[in-house]
């Protein structure tokens, strides 16, 4: 039997963007056991929102759980409160929420693909993808007023309407991005560093994906066709051209393909919204206090994000539970590490697209 | 959201009878302080869609919550978070997933 050694990865490491620490027990180059420490950026958000903020302010607080998917957190919380209060956003507001959510998904997926390229040693593509991602951030700025940390979703609707000028900006940015996407598809499909090298690496089988309750692009890359947008009509995705994207390889390459195809589908959905945006108000009047419980799921870029909200006719909520997708995928990530080569650990980690800010909240 | 309140002595058996890996997935496992006691909720979704299935039991702070990691391997991370946030003992769970050993204890408990 070979001697085993423990190799740490993180919390600060050249291949890591996020503060997470892994300990790999290795036998030669093979990882035979792994453990994770994920709590570096715990900020006590669940305590804060159920003790210091009124329920109408909480949406702005939970937007700060994650800089990347701020819109997703606000959407999920808002839907949960709207369900308890018994109000529903107007159709125009719902369609605008779809645009904001899908722009969030596109720039998050592009960030992940950029870092996948970086981990493959493809620095030029990393920089090119980050430049292309600017198009999405400019579209978000035109729509919400901010490049990141947008406070766009409010209880009862959205805070800003979209006029024809903004639609024109979005269409222009999406047209440019579509052209860039063709190049990205080509590279991730045919370039050795990005395709052949990652086929069969970091594989999560369908059975394991189910066993570990894996969600999001990780699950869909393993053949598990589960997407909250398909099973829970929290926004009218069935009216704007949503397509369930599934790959079967379960490896890093399949995860890249899922994200690339999801970007294309998100662009299609946003265009459909812009073409058919219903007329009407962007918000409904909010009256009453939250009294009861609700549980809402939405599809974040990394998978199912859920909020449990409990109120008792008071300004301060009794409980807000936030379950984020990376948190749910940590056990599967650890399982995938075991049996892999240590040299692939950083690439596997990047392919899970972890968000530790969401995980530790 | 339909919630099935189950006596704490029967919750493990109920979950064991209910859960099918190819049919359901665990959405969340979390606590809700109900003033001196803890309501633990196990929330499941069907892959095919439909309503969430919520199982809940009320535990005293001094109780031990049964672990479902034996039938659902990814549950350990939810159970560790439950232990950190509410200071309740969860079978097999270690303290320290999100909190430091010399830091605050049971921050989400309403009765300290």
């Amino acid at each position: 039997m070979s001697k085993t050694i423990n190799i740490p990865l993180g919390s600060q490491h050249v291949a890591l963007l996020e503060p997470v620490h892994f300990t790999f027990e290795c036998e030669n180059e093979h990882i035979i056991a792994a453990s994770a420490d994920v709590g570096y950026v715990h900020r006590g958000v669940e305590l804060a929102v159920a003790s210091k903020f009124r329920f109408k302010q909480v949406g702005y607080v939970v937007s700060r759980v994650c800089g990347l998917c701020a819109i997703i957190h606000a959407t999920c919380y808002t839907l949960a409160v709207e369900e308890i209060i018994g109000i529903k956003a107007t159709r125009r507001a719902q369609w605008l929420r779809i645009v904001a959510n899908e722009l969030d998904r596109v720039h998050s997926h592009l960030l992940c693909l950029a870092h996948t390229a970086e981990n493959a040693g493809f620095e030029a593509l990393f920089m090119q993808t980050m430049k292309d991602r600017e198009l999405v951030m400019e579209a978000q700025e035109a729509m919400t007023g901010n490049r990141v940390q947008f406070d766009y979703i409010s209880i009862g609707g959205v805070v800003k309407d979209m006029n024809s000028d903004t639609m024109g900006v979005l269409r222009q940015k999406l047209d440019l991005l579509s052209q860039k996407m063709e190049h990205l598809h080509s590279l991730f499909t045919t370039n050795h560093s990005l395709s052949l090298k990652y086929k069969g690496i970091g594989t999560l089988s369908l059975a394991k994906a189910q066993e570990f309750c894996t969600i999001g692009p990780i699950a869909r890359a393993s053949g598990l066709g589960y997407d909250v947008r398909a099973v829970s009509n929290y926004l009218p995705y069935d009216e704007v051209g949503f397509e369930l994207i599934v790959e079967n390889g379960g490896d890093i390459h399949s995860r890249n393909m899922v994200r690339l195809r999801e970007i294309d589908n998100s662009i299609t959905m946003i265009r459909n919204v812009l073409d058919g945006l219903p007329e009407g108000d962007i918000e409904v009047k909010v009256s009453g206090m939250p009294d009861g419980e609700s549980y809402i799921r939405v599809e974040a870029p990394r998978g199912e994000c859920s909020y449990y909200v409990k109120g008792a006719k008071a300004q301060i909520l009794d409980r807000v539970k936030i379950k984020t997708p990376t948190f749910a995928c940590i056990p599967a990530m650890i399982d995938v590490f075991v049996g892999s080569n240590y040299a692939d650990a950083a690439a596997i980690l990047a392919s899970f697209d972890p968000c530790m800010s969401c995980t530790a909240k | 959201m339909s919630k099935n309140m189950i006596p704490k002595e029967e919750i493990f058996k109920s979950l064991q009878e209910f859960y099918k890996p190819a049919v359901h997935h665990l959405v969340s496992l979390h606590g809700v302080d109900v003033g001196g006691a803890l309501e633990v909720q196990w929330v499941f979704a069907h892959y095919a869609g439909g309503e969430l299935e919520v199982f809940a039991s009320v535990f005293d702070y001094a109780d031990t919550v049964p672990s479902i990691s034996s039938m659902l391997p990814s549950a350990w991370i939810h159970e560790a978070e439950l232990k950190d946030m509410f200071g309740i003992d969860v079978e097999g769970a270690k303290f320290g997933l999100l909190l430091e050993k010399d830091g605050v204890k049971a921050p989400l408990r309403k009765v300290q």
Side-chain angles (χ1 to χ4, degrees), chain A residues 39 42 46-47 210-213 226 231 293 295 297 304 306 308 318-319 321 323 327 330-331 360-361, chain B residues 1 3 25-28 30-32 41 45 47 49 52 72-74 76-77 81 97-99 107-108 110:
Chain A
H42 175 62
E46 288 182 5
L47 175 63
Q210 287 175 332
E211 185 184 343
F212 283 93
C213 297
Y226 178 73
V231 297
E293 299 171 279
Y295 209 106
R297 297 173 285 159
E304 180 185 73
S306 63
Y308 165 81
D318 264 9
R319 176 84 167 104
K321 165 65 189 170
K323 201 276 326 239
F327 183 84
I330 295 281
K361 43 187 187 292
Chain B
M1 183 180 98
K3 187 159 75 174
H25 81 274
L26 180 68
V27 177
S28 182
H30 59 262
V32 183
Q41 299 184 355
Y47 284 122
L52 293 173
L72 207 157
S74 60
W76 68 263
I77 195 160
E81 185 190 30
L97 180 77
L98 299 177
L99 301 181
L108 295 183
K110 292 200 169 157

Side-chain angles (χ1 to χ4, degrees), chain A residues 158-172:
Chain A
V158 295
V159 298
K160 191 179 170 195
D161 206 351
M162 186 182 284
N163 58 28
S164 56
D165 290 346
T166 311
M167 284 187 191
V169 172
L170 261 65
R171 284 199 177 96
Q172 181 205 10

Side-chain angles (χ1 to χ4, degrees), chain B residues 7-65:
Chain B
K8 61 187 177 186
E9 299 80 12
E10 296 169 23
I11 185 68
F12 182 80
K13 190 164 172 267
S14 298
L15 293 169
Q16 205 171 27
E17 286 170 358
F18 165 79
Y19 177 66
K20 309 271 183 303
V23 179
H24 311 113
H25 81 274
L26 180 68
V27 177
S28 182
L29 191 175
H30 59 262
V32 183
D33 196 300
V34 288
L38 186 66
E39 180 181 311
V40 180
Q41 299 184 355
W42 291 261
V43 184
F44 293 89
H46 292 249
Y47 284 122
E51 285 279 297
L52 293 173
E53 303 261 7
V54 182
F55 292 78
S57 289
V58 177
F59 293 85
D60 296 328
Y61 288 157
D63 285 340
T64 297
V65 179

Side-chain angles (χ1 to χ4, degrees), chain A residues 103-296:
Chain A
L103 285 173
D104 225 14
R105 188 177 325 281
V106 172
H107 89 81
S108 178
H109 280 0
L110 283 172
L111 181 73
C112 176
L113 292 166
H115 288 299
T116 301
E118 188 185 29
N119 270 301
F122 211 149
E123 286 286 337
L125 183 61
F126 164 75
M127 288 186 273
Q128 183 64 50
T129 310
M130 292 301 274
K131 185 183 165 203
D132 298 344
R133 182 172 168 263
E134 282 294 308
L135 293 167
V136 191
M137 300 181 83
E138 286 161 9
Q140 286 176 309
E141 185 177 13
M143 184 181 179
T144 69
N146 267 0
R147 286 163 50 85
V148 290
Q149 215 62 78
F150 351 79
D151 291 317
Y152 183 70
I153 311 287
S154 64
I155 298 171
V158 295
V159 298
K160 191 179 170 195
D161 206 351
M162 186 182 284
N163 58 28
S164 56
D165 290 346
T166 311
M167 284 187 191
V169 172
L170 261 65
R171 284 199 177 96
Q172 181 205 10
K173 303 291 179 193
L174 292 175
D175 288 347
L176 282 170
L177 185 63
S178 290
Q179 294 167 21
K180 308 283 185 187
M181 288 306 299
E182 287 175 23
H183 181 56
L184 264 188
H185 268 285
S186 165
L187 277 173
F188 273 90
T189 311
T190 58
N191 183 280
H192 178 86
S193 298
L194 296 168
S195 58
L196 294 176
K197 185 177 169 185
Y198 285 151
K199 283 183 179 168
I201 302 297
T203 304
L204 182 73
S205 67
L206 173 60
K208 283 279 186 187
Q210 287 175 332
E211 185 184 343
F212 283 93
C213 297
T214 317
I215 47 181
I218 312 301
R220 294 192 285 278
S222 297
L224 183 52
Y226 178 73
D227 189 312
V228 183
R229 291 173 292 175
V231 297
S232 166
N233 208 23
Y234 64 94
L235 290 173
Y237 277 103
D238 53 342
E239 299 174 33
V240 296
F242 167 73
E243 182 193 346
L244 180 64
I245 310 289
V246 179
E247 294 273 339
N248 293 305
D251 50 16
I252 296 176
H253 176 71
S254 295
R255 287 170 208 141
N256 292 340
M257 288 298 110
V258 165
R259 292 192 179 101
L260 282 163
R261 292 175 60 199
E262 286 190 350
I263 291 172
D264 290 343
N265 184 227
S266 292
I267 292 172
T268 302
M269 285 192 283
I270 295 167
R271 282 183 172 142
N272 290 342
V273 170
L274 297 179
D275 290 343
L277 187 63
E279 293 294 329
D281 293 333
I282 57 164
E283 58 184 351
V284 294
K285 193 171 183 308
V286 180
S287 59
M289 299 276 203
D291 184 20
E293 299 171 279
S294 71
Y295 209 106
I296 294 287

